[in-house]
Amino acid sequence: MPALDPLLQPTRFEWGCATSSFQIEGASTADGKVPSIWDTFCAEPGRIKDASDGRVACDHYHRFADDVRLIAELGFKHYRFSIAWPRITTSNNRLNVAGMDFYKRLLDALDQHGITPNATLFHWDLPAHLEGGWLNRDTAYRFAEYTELVARHLGDRLPRVATLNEPWCSAFLGHDLGVFAPGVQNRAQSLVAAHHLMLAHGLGLQAWRSVQAQTSLGIVLNPELCDPLTDRPEDVQAARLAEWERNDCFLNPLFGREWPDALLEQIGELNAARRDGDLAICAQPLDFMGLNYYTRSIARAPVTVNDAQRGYTFVAPTAPKRLTDIGWEIYPEGLTRVVQNLQAQWPLPPLWITENGAADNTGLAHGAVDDGMRCDYLLAHFEQVAGLIRNGADIRGYYVWSLMDNFEWAHGYSQRFGIVHVDFHTQKRTPKRSALMLQKLLRE
Ligand code: IFM
């Protein structure tokens, strides 16, 4: 049986599991919840691989008490979840008391089990009535109002809060590739969305701090490690462009730095959306940064006209590389490389690995799930975290993605990231081998 590196012992290192609201809550119209852009996106034919949606998901809205008990039984003392903006505000952007009460009940349950909450304010479920979504500057101001509302009602119970989860996905998967809500395909507009997201982050931090000065505040990013397919200069340049989009586009504003010229060229005349003074708003002091890591990318010089706009083409990994069931390369050393790359370029605050995990679709057999690939994946990444800390990185915690199988966005329920199996017909939860392994590691 594997053992945890002494540097990762739960007495000195924070261990948690993570989820997000849209992926697990279900109850999509309960108690005054208004539609999010993911509700409307799922309703559009052809958007979700298995034509599913988040209407029921893991029914966590009704089963949260049992789920929290399970988190405790598995030995986690920390839980990362997100608050659904469209659940706690009305279509007039006012407080929806019933929705807010759900999070109060959730926090009560966590408290009863001695589990510390770690909340994210925006994990992609944007209220659908906000016209123009992230392409509209007003949305950043609505986010600040929403943030202030959460701070007023839950702020004294939330020790650590992140504004956004992986804004790259909202901006680029949502507005350039169009595979995520709202499904727009426009390169320049995706950069406008990225800017408004970072503006929202900055305004949100200002709003929260005006109400609650004690909370530790930050953001969760999914920085890229992108290797060129060959050492031809055009492939090397393509890989750099991919990293600028994924990293510099978000990290530069956080530290008051301008975007690389290549991104300014791509936004073109829509650069007018980026107003004087915005950069200073984005660069609010950060108490922490969350990093989500799953894999690396390989890029080559663009091969299609659309790719030429963004400057690169990704090359899908194939055998003999080891892949998870979603087709992502298993590349644990990338975690070390990406953290070191970031450390070399930006003055990072303390770090938490806020997501890491694998799609391993192994099913139930005789009442158990033998997800050996996920176990190996997790152990290999724990080693990298320990190595980073040993070499001086200030990493304070690790959250496995995810507590349970859930709605995996455009993949619907076809990809399972949970350490707990969910039978979506009966909602029965069954801890997989990976969950039992973690339970044992955290108890020793
Ligand atoms: O499920 C997602 C999560 O919502 C954000 N980070 C990546 C996970 C796996 O794709």
Side-chain angles (χ1 to χ4, degrees):
M1 175 67 192
L4 274 185
D5 189 290
L7 291 170
L8 302 183
Q9 289 305 322
T11 43
R12 61 195 295 185
F13 187 78
E14 187 175 309
W15 283 92
C17 54
T19 62
S20 88
S21 48
F22 191 82
Q23 292 178 274
I24 64 165
E25 285 179 3
S28 65
T29 55
D31 298 332
K33 181 184 166 289
V34 293
S36 79
I37 58 170
W38 272 94
D39 290 303
T40 51
F41 189 70
C42 290
E44 292 172 23
R47 293 297 199 182
I48 309 299
K49 194 172 170 190
D50 56 5
S52 63
D53 55 49
R55 279 181 290 183
V56 177
C58 305
D59 197 29
H60 174 75
Y61 190 76
H62 300 112
R63 296 167 192 264
F64 73 91
D66 289 342
D67 289 338
V68 169
R69 197 172 309 121
L70 182 57
I71 296 171
E73 278 167 17
L74 294 179
F76 294 107
K77 297 268 186 288
H78 303 267
Y79 175 52
R80 174 174 179 247
F81 63 97
S82 76
I83 294 170
W85 185 352
R87 194 179 287 293
I88 67 146
T89 59
T90 64
S91 53
N92 298 325
N93 308 318
R94 301 263 161 74
L95 171 69
N96 174 23
V97 175
M100 187 67 90
D101 281 351
F102 167 68
Y103 294 103
K104 291 186 178 162
R105 294 196 296 277
L106 175 64
L107 291 176
D108 288 344
L110 291 168
D111 198 39
Q112 279 157 20
H113 286 90
I115 298 168
T116 306
N118 182 340
T120 300
L121 295 171
F122 179 69
H123 196 125
W124 311 348
D125 41 358
L126 185 70
H129 65 267
L130 294 177
E131 214 163 301
W134 290 114
L135 295 176
N136 184 348
R137 186 178 174 91
D138 285 350
T139 298
Y141 291 88
R142 298 292 84 75
F143 178 77
E145 290 162 10
Y146 154 66
T147 298
E148 188 175 329
L149 206 62
V150 180
R152 287 199 188 286
H153 289 267
L154 305 176
D156 56 344
R157 306 184 62 185
L158 294 173
R160 191 173 321 119
V161 172
T163 51
L164 313 178
N165 178 73
E166 301 179 4
W168 175 83
C169 296
S170 306
F172 293 98
L173 296 181
H175 298 82
D176 179 14
L177 295 176
V179 294
F180 274 19
V184 175
Q185 288 180 304
N186 183 306
R187 180 66 183 175
Q189 288 187 354
S190 64
L191 286 154
V192 172
H195 175 66
H196 288 153
L197 280 151
M198 296 315 287
L199 186 65
H201 158 81
L203 292 167
L205 285 195
Q206 288 178 337
W208 188 288
R209 286 193 172 117
S210 72
V211 177
Q212 277 290 337
Q214 270 81 292
T215 319
S216 173
L217 295 175
I219 187 169
V220 172
L221 302 178
N222 55 337
E224 174 105 274
L225 169 66
C226 189
D227 285 325
L229 181 64
T230 70
D231 52 13
R232 287 188 314 154
E234 46 283 33
D235 288 345
V236 173
Q237 177 64 2
R240 279 176 70 193
L241 271 161
E243 287 196 354
W244 283 338
E245 171 195 308
R246 185 83 161 243
N247 303 345
D248 301 46
C249 184
F250 301 95
L251 281 136
N252 276 10
L254 288 178
F255 298 103
R257 297 185 197 162
E258 186 45 279
W259 280 349
D261 288 345
L263 296 182
L264 294 173
E265 275 162 33
Q266 291 180 1
I267 195 172
E269 59 191 24
L270 293 189
N271 197 33
R274 300 169 67 248
R275 301 196 188 154
D276 286 349
D278 283 1
L279 211 47
I281 297 174
C282 298
Q284 300 302 306
L286 288 174
D287 300 313
F288 75 92
M289 187 179 288
L291 300 183
N292 295 350
Y293 176 81
Y294 291 88
T295 187
R296 69 157 160 184
S297 306
I298 308 283
R300 57 172 297 183
V303 287
T304 67
V305 176
N306 277 347
D307 287 350
Q309 287 184 6
R310 50 185 82 97
Y312 61 85
T313 294
F314 280 139
V315 181
T318 48
K321 292 199 170 95
R322 292 168 307 140
L323 310 182
T324 62
D325 288 340
I326 202 170
W328 298 351
E329 182 184 355
I330 301 175
Y331 188 67
E333 46 285 45
L335 177 55
T336 300
R337 289 180 56 202
V338 81
V339 170
Q340 289 176 343
N341 186 11
L342 259 50
Q343 282 174 325
Q345 295 185 66
W346 291 280
L348 303 180
L351 302 175
W352 268 259
I353 305 301
T354 30
E355 286 182 28
N356 176 239
D360 176 340
N361 297 335
T362 310
L364 267 174
H366 311 295
V369 180
D370 191 5
D371 57 341
M373 182 255 278
R374 179 178 289 106
C375 292
D376 293 347
Y377 178 102
L378 294 176
L379 291 171
H381 286 78
F382 300 166
E383 243 180 67
Q384 300 291 321
V385 177
L388 277 161
I389 298 174
R390 194 161 285 116
N391 286 313
D394 187 2
I395 303 180
R396 311 245 175 123
Y398 173 102
Y399 286 69
V400 64
W401 184 269
S402 177
L403 165 65
M404 55 188 159
D405 297 334
N406 57 49
F407 178 77
E408 178 52 28
W409 307 111
H411 294 275
Y413 298 95
S414 68
Q415 296 298 328
R416 292 179 176 267
F417 275 89
I419 57 169
V420 171
H421 180 271
V422 176
D423 178 327
F424 291 106
H425 299 294
T426 62
Q427 291 295 345
K428 185 174 183 327
R429 276 66 162 146
T430 307
K432 304 179 187 178
R433 171 144 77 93
S434 55
L436 304 176
M437 173 186 85
L438 274 159
Q439 184 185 45
K440 203 150 183 290
L441 286 175
L442 298 180
R443 276 204 189 132
E444 274 166 0

